[in-house]
């Protein structure tokens, strides 16, 4: 019997009956998103500021602060043997910056992602969110409509909020008679803040008002974008302060954002609502689905909730034309930059869940920075393309004592390409350049020592606990296995294209050092201290995220997994560590441990009412790699993997009733 998709999705609609500082709700389309409080707009931003900030963000909305001293990346370089790395930077979180790190601080914080504006109800100067009564807010996942209702001083209000599926445009319907305010901030280069409301003289808001529309021009230093506000019915727009406007009398309005001015004839609320409803119904109908209805395990409804909400949240935040930042389009982290080692955790699940186009949106960006990635590799004495770690849309590495030394993002483009090839073989021609340039770097990076090819310093593994000893780290277990798999997969791409296997890639792959084993378990790295039991237990990714390779012995990995589950400092882990453990357990034939890992009761494995994976409240309030990782793990556990058991849901134990539709097996 087929899954009733609408019933599956409908039973996990998000409902709030009181304000929740950690769970404002978001509407969006992958390129643009708007996050609202319980009024359906951004009426009470202070209530959320310390927990989960409200924001209006896009993939194109970036800003660069003035650079009067002309800082360039070369100003932050330090030599490490034959290569130079941009490591002259220290995180200050708002504190003073030492002179030797000023260039690094500017380059680390620029460009930064913009908060495009705040749209809220004008309910009165002294009204607090706690004054609202009868609150009822519902995010209808099947239609993408956010419906909010509340009463204030005996007056009932209703707000419907929806995002256009193909335009950076928000549509709103308001009943109750409240006016609406729209305000525009300056940018902010702070680590986790996107808006500066205290510098009105630093930016310009021009406006041209017509009978039922206002076109704003926003100028922030050398950056410019446009906002169009259009309303229906008799209404009046009034400037009430610099960069701040009040719209009175409108029951329906739309706001369009873009680098270019919006054309005439903006769609109305009803048109946007209908387009969103069609879009989200197709999203849920055409993509993959997994139902746990009828399972005897009492945790099944919660896992199903997380799966449904994670599909929505990653589609809204992680499916745009750029790799997503770890907080998506909700709020900023790392100045809005995105991290390429996290791209797998955000988006690898899309092809597995029948939505390959959502991953493909961001892959042309890799090609756009290919010349820069080649230049980085050549400057360090390597071939091919070395992909950066923390970047903005221009693709420049951010100075850091960690990021430039990571390597585990390098095989990701090969993994993405392989996932897409399994959906449509034409991807073989579309992504061959990314696969081959990546493999060229991977083959040239190891150093030959004592007849083996060593992944060696300077290097920081995925388990960043080793950052202080980056000049001595060698042969991290996860990276060795991923390197082997990446080079072998690139060779298979050559064969599929009718090309001979590359002898140098083959030589390096065959000569890779074996992972270090101590006391019967895989060590994190092959030097002292061999295994620090904090941060990511990355060794388990060597058989889980990475398919089986000759470098990894399953029984040794089984002992490693058990050792991690028994001894690791779990509060120090991150949201994607639990899916990583689950994938490892599933491939080892331990489905009970896979489910236990996926639903482990630890601080950073909590999923809020909104579905977001909580990390560090107030600092990193949400963590989308946890949501995307959960979807990748459930895909593997539900649909299996190459060479795995030939039955449905091999990653789930007895007591779980698992229905699977349209989900693909992992490599």
């Amino acid at each position: 019997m087929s899954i009733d998709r609408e019933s599956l999705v409908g039973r996990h609609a998000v409902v709030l009956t009181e304000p929740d500082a950690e769970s404002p709700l978001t509407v969006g389309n992958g390129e643009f998103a708007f996050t609202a409080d319980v009024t359906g707009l951004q009426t009470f931003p202070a209530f959320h500021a310390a927990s989960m900030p409200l924001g209006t963000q896009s993939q194109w909305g970036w800003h660069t602060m003035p650079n009067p001293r002309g800082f360039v990346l070369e100003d932050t370089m330090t030599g490490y043997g034959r290569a130079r790395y941009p490591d002259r930077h220290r995180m200050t979180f708002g504190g003073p910056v030492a002179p030797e790190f000023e260039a690094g601080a500017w380059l680390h914080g620029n460009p930064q992602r913009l908060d495009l504006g705040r749209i809220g109800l004008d309910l009165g100067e002294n009204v607090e969110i706690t004054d609202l009564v009868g609150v009822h807010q519902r995010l209808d996942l099947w239609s993408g409509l956010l419906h909010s209702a509340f009463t204030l001083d005996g007056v009932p209000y209703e707000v419907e909020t929806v995002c256009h599926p193909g335009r950076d445009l928000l549509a709103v319907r308001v009943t109750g008679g409240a006016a609406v305010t729209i305000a525009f901030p300056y940018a902010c280069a702070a680590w986790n803040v996107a808006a500066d409301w205290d510098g009105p003289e630093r930016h310009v808001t021009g406006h041209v008002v017509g009978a039922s529309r206002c076109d704003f021009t926003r100028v922030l230093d050398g950056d410019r974008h446009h906002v169009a506000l259009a309303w229906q019915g008799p209404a009046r727009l009034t400037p009430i302060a610099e960069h701040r406007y009040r719209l009175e009398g409108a029951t329906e309005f739309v706001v369009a954002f873009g680098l270019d001015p919006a054309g005439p004839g903006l769609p109305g609320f009803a048109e946007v609502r209908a387009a969103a409803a069609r879009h989200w119904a197709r999203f849920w109908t055409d993509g993959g689905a997994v139902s746990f209805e009828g399972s005897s395990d009492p945790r099944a409804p919660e896992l199903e909730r997380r799966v449904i909400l994670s599909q929505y949240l990653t589609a809204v935040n992680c499916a745009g034309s750029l790799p997503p930042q770890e907080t998506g389009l909700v709020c900023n982290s790392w100045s809005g930059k995105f991290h390429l080692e996290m791209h797998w955790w955000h988006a690898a699940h899309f092809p597995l869940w029948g939505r390959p186009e959502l991953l493909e949106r961001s892959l042309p960006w890799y090609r756009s920075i290919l010349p820069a990635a080649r230049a980085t590799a050549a400057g360090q004495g390597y071939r091919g393309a070395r992909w950066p770690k923390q970047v903005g849309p221009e693709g420049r590495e951010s100075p850091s004592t960690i990021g430039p030394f990571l390597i585990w993002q390098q095989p990701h483009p090969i993994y993405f390409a392989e996932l897409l090839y399994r959906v449509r073989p034409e991807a073989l021609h579309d992504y061959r350049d990314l696969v081959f340039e990546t493999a060229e770097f991977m083959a040239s990076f190891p150093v030959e020592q004592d007849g083996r090819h060593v992944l060696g310093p300077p290097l920081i593994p995925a388990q960043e606990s080793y950052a202080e000893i980056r000049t001595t780290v060698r042969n991290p277990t996860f990276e060795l296995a991923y390197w082997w798999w990446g080079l072998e997969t690139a060779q298979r791409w050559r064969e599929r294209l009718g090309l001979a296997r590359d002898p140098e890639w083959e030589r390096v792959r065959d000569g890779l050092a074996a992972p270090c084993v101590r006391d019967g378990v895989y060590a994190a790295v092959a030097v002292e201290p061999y295994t620090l039991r904090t941060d990511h237990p990355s060794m388990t990714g060597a058989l889980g995220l990475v398919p089986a390779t000759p470098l990894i012995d399953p029984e040794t990995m089984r002992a490693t997994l058990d050792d991690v589950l028994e001894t690791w400092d779990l509060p120090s882990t991150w949201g994607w560590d639990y899916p990583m453990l689950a994938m490892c357990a599933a491939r080892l034939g331990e489905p009970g441990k896979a489910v236990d890992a996926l639903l482990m009761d630890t601080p950073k494995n909590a999923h809020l009412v909104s579905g977001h994976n909580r990390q560090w409240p107030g600092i990193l309030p949400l963590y989308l790699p946890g949501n995307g990782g959960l979807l990748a793990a459930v895909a593997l556990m539900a649909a299996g993997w190459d060479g795995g058991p030939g039955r449905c849901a091999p990653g789930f134990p007895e007591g779980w009733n698992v229905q699977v539709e349209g989900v693909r097996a992992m490599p």
Side-chain angles (χ1 to χ4, degrees):
M1 183 170 61
S2 63
I3 298 172
D4 182 339
R5 302 289 185 96
E6 189 167 3
S7 175
L8 170 65
V9 173
R11 61 179 174 255
H12 299 294
V14 184
V15 176
L16 295 175
T17 56
E18 61 182 4
D20 184 338
E22 287 191 304
S23 287
L25 303 179
T26 301
V27 294
N29 57 27
E31 286 291 306
F32 168 84
F34 178 86
T35 299
D37 59 32
V38 291
T39 68
L41 294 172
Q42 298 163 339
T43 308
F44 298 101
F47 176 75
H48 291 278
S51 299
M52 187 80 73
L54 308 179
T56 307
Q57 296 195 332
S58 70
Q59 297 289 12
W60 53 262
W62 294 79
H63 170 263
T64 300
M65 297 287 182
N67 184 14
R69 295 170 62 183
F71 293 129
V72 294
L73 198 61
E74 185 64 26
D75 297 333
T76 70
M77 294 286 188
T78 299
Y80 289 82
R82 66 173 177 172
R84 289 167 59 79
Y85 292 80
D87 70 343
R88 291 189 211 163
H89 175 256
R90 297 294 182 274
M91 295 295 295
T92 63
F93 294 99
V97 177
E100 64 268 30
F101 299 130
E102 288 178 349
W106 191 93
L107 291 158
H108 190 90
N110 284 276
Q112 62 280 158
R113 198 183 301 258
L114 280 171
D115 188 325
L116 299 174
R118 179 182 295 164
I119 305 168
L121 296 178
D122 186 351
L123 297 174
E125 188 173 341
N126 299 315
V127 173
E128 302 290 341
I129 198 169
T130 50
D131 296 329
L132 309 183
V133 298
V135 169
H136 189 275
Q137 185 176 56
R138 185 176 190 271
L139 177 58
D140 185 341
L141 303 170
W142 191 262
S143 68
L145 180 69
L146 179 63
H147 180 272
S148 310
F150 60 92
T151 298
L152 176 65
D153 295 333
V155 178
Y157 296 87
E158 287 191 45
V159 179
E160 293 175 282
T161 313
V162 66
C163 178
H164 195 284
R167 300 182 64 172
D168 298 345
L169 185 147
L170 186 76
V172 181
R173 173 181 285 167
V174 180
T175 59
V180 173
T181 61
I182 179 168
F184 303 106
Y186 185 62
C188 184
W191 188 84
N192 62 344
V193 179
D196 178 356
W197 296 96
D198 298 325
E201 75 286 351
R202 303 179 69 185
H203 56 121
V204 175
T205 304
H207 63 273
V208 177
V209 182
S212 58
R213 172 169 168 161
C214 180
D215 287 278
F216 302 95
T217 300
R218 298 277 296 126
V219 180
L220 298 86
D221 303 307
D223 299 291
R224 177 187 297 258
H225 65 272
H226 299 267
V227 182
L229 169 66
W231 55 88
Q232 292 183 346
R236 182 178 65 175
L237 182 73
T238 307
I240 55 176
E242 201 167 4
H243 313 296
R244 185 176 175 85
Y245 301 81
R246 189 171 191 263
L247 179 65
E248 298 178 84
T251 57
E252 294 182 8
F253 63 91
V254 299
V255 190
F257 299 83
L259 287 174
D260 299 316
L266 292 175
F269 174 83
E271 183 180 345
V272 176
R273 182 178 62 181
R278 291 190 298 270
H279 166 78
W280 285 106
R282 284 195 304 268
F283 174 87
W284 295 112
T285 301
D286 296 346
V290 174
S291 169
F292 301 125
E293 190 173 20
S295 297
S296 60
D297 192 315
R299 299 172 296 176
E302 171 59 14
L303 182 56
E304 188 180 271
R305 182 187 78 91
R306 295 185 183 190
V307 167
I308 293 297
L309 292 179
S310 292
Q311 288 178 79
Y312 176 80
L313 292 172
T314 54
V316 165
N317 290 284
C318 305
S321 53
L322 296 176
Q325 66 170 320
E326 296 183 27
T327 47
L329 297 173
V330 176
C331 58
N332 270 4
S333 55
W334 288 276
S335 300
K337 304 289 183 64
F338 42 91
H339 294 168
L340 293 194
E341 88 280 17
M342 288 293 101
H343 196 188
W344 193 99
W345 295 101
H346 284 285
H349 66 88
F350 285 130
L352 301 174
W353 285 81
R355 303 180 182 108
E357 70 282 358
L358 299 188
L359 170 61
E360 287 200 80
R361 286 180 184 174
S362 59
L363 293 193
W365 177 83
Y366 283 87
R367 186 169 291 110
S368 77
I369 71 157
L370 189 54
R374 288 191 188 112
T376 297
Q380 295 176 349
Y382 303 117
R383 304 188 305 274
R386 179 167 190 166
W387 305 111
K389 190 274 193 198
Q390 178 178 318
V391 295
E394 82 296 340
R396 171 185 51 75
E397 181 72 87
S398 296
S400 169
T401 56
I402 295 176
F405 304 96
L406 296 182
I407 63 170
W408 66 289
Q409 70 271 30
Q410 302 306 324
H412 285 352
I414 297 177
Y415 209 124
F416 297 151
E418 180 67 12
L419 291 175
L420 293 169
Y421 167 76
R422 293 156 68 95
V423 176
R424 57 175 194 88
E426 310 86 63
L428 197 64
H429 300 280
D430 295 339
Y431 300 114
R432 59 180 288 171
D433 56 341
L434 297 184
V435 169
F436 292 167
E437 293 282 358
T438 299
E440 274 292 296
F441 170 79
M442 292 175 61
S444 66
F445 181 78
V447 176
E448 198 163 357
Q449 294 178 354
D450 300 324
R452 307 305 295 171
H453 287 90
V454 172
L455 299 181
L459 183 155
I460 297 175
Q463 187 181 351
E464 295 176 8
S465 303
Y466 294 90
E468 294 301 318
I469 60 168
R470 58 186 176 273
T471 58
T472 60
V473 168
R474 285 173 172 77
N475 292 331
T477 294
F478 166 67
E479 281 82 350
L480 282 170
Y482 205 7
W483 231 250
W484 194 101
W485 183 86
L487 287 172
E488 171 58 23
T489 302
Q491 294 282 44
R492 292 179 184 173
W493 271 58
R494 290 184 63 86
E495 291 175 331
R496 292 166 183 164
L497 287 162
L499 303 173
R501 292 172 76 92
D502 186 291
E504 179 63 9
W505 300 359
E506 198 84 352
R507 187 178 74 86
V508 173
R509 188 212 64 178
D510 289 344
L512 283 172
C516 178
V517 177
R518 289 178 58 81
D519 300 323
V521 301
Y522 286 115
V525 297
V527 297
E528 290 275 8
Y530 294 95
T531 302
L532 297 171
R533 299 182 181 276
T534 60
D535 198 24
H536 311 295
S538 60
M539 313 83 69
T540 59
L543 182 59
L545 184 156
V546 180
T549 68
L551 293 186
I552 300 299
D553 171 62
E555 293 310 310
T556 304
M557 184 57 77
R558 191 185 312 276
T560 305
L561 174 65
D562 289 342
D563 182 65
V564 167
L565 294 175
E566 293 169 6
T567 67
W568 211 260
D569 176 26
L570 293 174
S572 71
T573 53
W574 293 63
W576 56 265
D577 291 322
Y578 311 101
M580 178 173 66
L581 293 169
M583 288 188 286
C584 180
R587 288 193 192 258
L588 290 170
E590 301 271 9
K593 292 177 183 177
V595 171
D596 290 345
L598 208 55
L599 292 167
M600 195 177 292
D601 184 14
T602 62
K604 292 181 188 172
N605 197 35
H607 285 243
L608 301 166
V609 173
S610 61
H612 278 299
N613 177 209
R614 179 202 282 131
Q615 292 301 285
W616 293 338
I619 299 175
L620 188 64
L622 65 109
Y623 197 59
L624 285 156
N627 298 94
L630 177 138
L631 293 174
V634 170
L636 179 139
M637 294 162 66
W641 57 93
D642 293 353
R647 64 176 187 275
C648 179
F652 288 91
E654 291 186 10
W656 284 77
N657 181 44
V658 185
Q659 286 182 272
V660 185
E661 291 178 359
V663 181
R664 290 179 172 268
M666 283 186 73

